[in-house]
Amino acid sequence: MNTRSFAIRLLLAAALVLAGLVFAYPLLFMFTASFKPADAIFANIANPAALLPDAHWSLVNYRNVFDKSAVGRYLLNSTAIALITIVAGVFVNSALAFAIAKLKWRGRHGVLALVLALLIVPMDVLAIPMMLVVAHLPWFDVQQGGLVFGWLDTLHVQIMPFVANAFCVFLFHQAFKDLPDELIEAARMDGAGAMTIYLRIVLPLCKPTVATASIVIFLGMWNQYLWPVMTVQTGGARPVMVGLQQFFGRTNQWGEIMAYASLITLPVLVFFLVIQKHFVRSVVGSGIKG
């Protein structure tokens, strides 16, 4: 490696580190502020030393968050909603994409066109009609031991309408379309059916796409606000974002607000770190294909 090449790589590494610090600073400030009293948060905000632990740090803000709100329950609700939607959504969306991309049947191009058309329809347009529908749908209530009508104030009302995702269908369709047809035909010659090909061959080959779809679904469900506000009125099924808005009305202490924000941000970071390897592969693969 010559001197010029080494200097270019060094400058590139320095630029990446600087960009990383710029993007990470707001998160670092939020986490550090969550351990400080209100008067100490903005005292030396321009000093990078404000991010380092000092004598002001304590867990008081986190204790106050749990005392003033049911954040633990909200975190559990949002986690269940997001994870169930991911599992169901990956299966449903990828199955439809596989049927469109690799199975021969009349009308599949029209279905794909309908999926693409749904991409431009905003949630704000669908919210009221969807609420009118779910308010009268039947559901078997285990506690009551019978059939009840209306999904309001439940967890499944925040899950079922969002399992099917037009963007994820399109994402999987593009991934499946690039798989060689010879692979599918070879499996059929060995006696494999469509479901076997989908579950054992096609889906395992598209793990990066599964990771990308999981992130898209997770972020969408974790950040849900409008739909839960419309359909959930009790705290038993309330997600974290609605709980955050209510928490704003109970405190004006920035340390407590930062603590609440940190609690609802950590699961997102952990989830991304768990599947980042496959997500990076998806991004790199898309760049190579382009």
Side-chain angles (χ1 to χ4, degrees):
M1 181 184 299
N2 55 39
T3 304
R4 181 180 178 181
S5 178
F6 176 77
I8 293 176
R9 292 195 175 189
L10 185 62
L11 289 174
L12 179 60
L16 291 175
V17 170
L18 180 61
L21 291 175
V22 170
F23 285 104
Y25 186 83
L27 286 176
L28 294 175
F29 176 79
M30 178 183 68
F31 288 131
T32 55
S34 67
F35 295 99
K36 297 179 180 180
D39 56 351
I41 292 178
F42 302 103
N44 56 347
I45 188 174
N47 189 352
L51 301 178
L52 301 177
D54 56 28
H56 296 98
W57 279 36
S58 69
L59 295 175
V60 173
N61 291 327
Y62 287 92
R63 185 163 58 247
N64 292 339
V65 167
F66 281 93
D67 290 340
K68 295 180 180 180
S69 70
V71 64
R73 177 67 179 180
Y74 301 159
L75 285 169
L76 184 62
N77 290 341
S78 287
T79 301
I81 291 168
L83 294 182
I84 294 174
T85 309
I86 287 173
V87 174
V90 166
F91 177 77
V92 169
N93 297 312
S94 62
L96 176 58
F98 172 72
I100 297 174
K102 293 301 180 183
L103 301 183
K104 308 298 182 182
W105 48 281
R106 182 177 298 178
R108 61 194 181 103
H109 297 297
V111 173
L112 179 60
L114 179 61
V115 170
L116 295 178
L118 289 174
L119 288 174
I120 65 175
V121 180
M123 176 61 188
D124 298 343
V125 175
L126 301 175
I128 299 297
M130 285 172 56
M131 187 182 69
L132 296 176
V133 171
V134 299
H136 299 89
L137 288 178
W139 189 265
F140 184 82
D141 194 309
V142 178
Q143 295 180 350
Q144 298 184 17
L147 196 66
V148 296
F149 289 87
W151 289 9
L152 302 182
D153 288 331
T154 61
L155 290 179
H156 54 266
V157 75
Q158 304 173 70
I159 298 173
M160 302 300 292
F162 303 99
V163 169
N165 186 299
F167 177 76
C168 290
V169 173
F170 177 71
L171 192 68
F172 279 112
H173 175 268
Q174 295 303 104
F176 294 162
K177 187 177 66 173
D178 292 330
L179 294 177
D181 292 333
E182 292 77 10
L183 185 66
I184 309 298
E185 295 300 327
R188 286 175 178 163
M189 292 179 64
D190 289 337
M195 185 60 68
T196 302
I197 295 173
Y198 160 68
L199 291 176
R200 297 189 177 183
I201 299 176
V202 174
L203 204 57
L205 289 176
C206 296
K207 289 181 179 179
T209 307
V210 172
T212 303
S214 298
I215 291 178
V216 170
I217 296 174
F218 183 86
L219 291 177
M221 301 311 297
W222 194 263
N223 294 325
Q224 277 278 18
Y225 179 77
L226 175 63
W227 182 249
V229 166
M230 296 174 59
T231 58
V232 177
Q233 286 80 40
T234 60
R238 187 170 293 140
V240 290
M241 291 304 170
V242 179
L244 175 61
Q245 183 62 35
Q246 291 192 342
F247 186 71
F248 282 159
R250 298 178 182 176
T251 183
N252 58 358
Q253 299 297 315
W254 277 103
E256 297 176 3
I257 294 174
M258 294 296 181
Y260 194 112
S262 298
L263 287 173
I264 66 177
T265 302
L266 280 175
V268 179
L269 296 178
V270 171
F271 182 80
F272 179 78
L273 290 175
V274 169
I275 64 175
Q276 66 169 333
K277 179 176 66 175
H278 296 296
F279 177 72
V280 171
R281 288 179 181 175
S282 176
V283 175
V284 172
S286 299
I288 293 175
K289 293 175 186 177

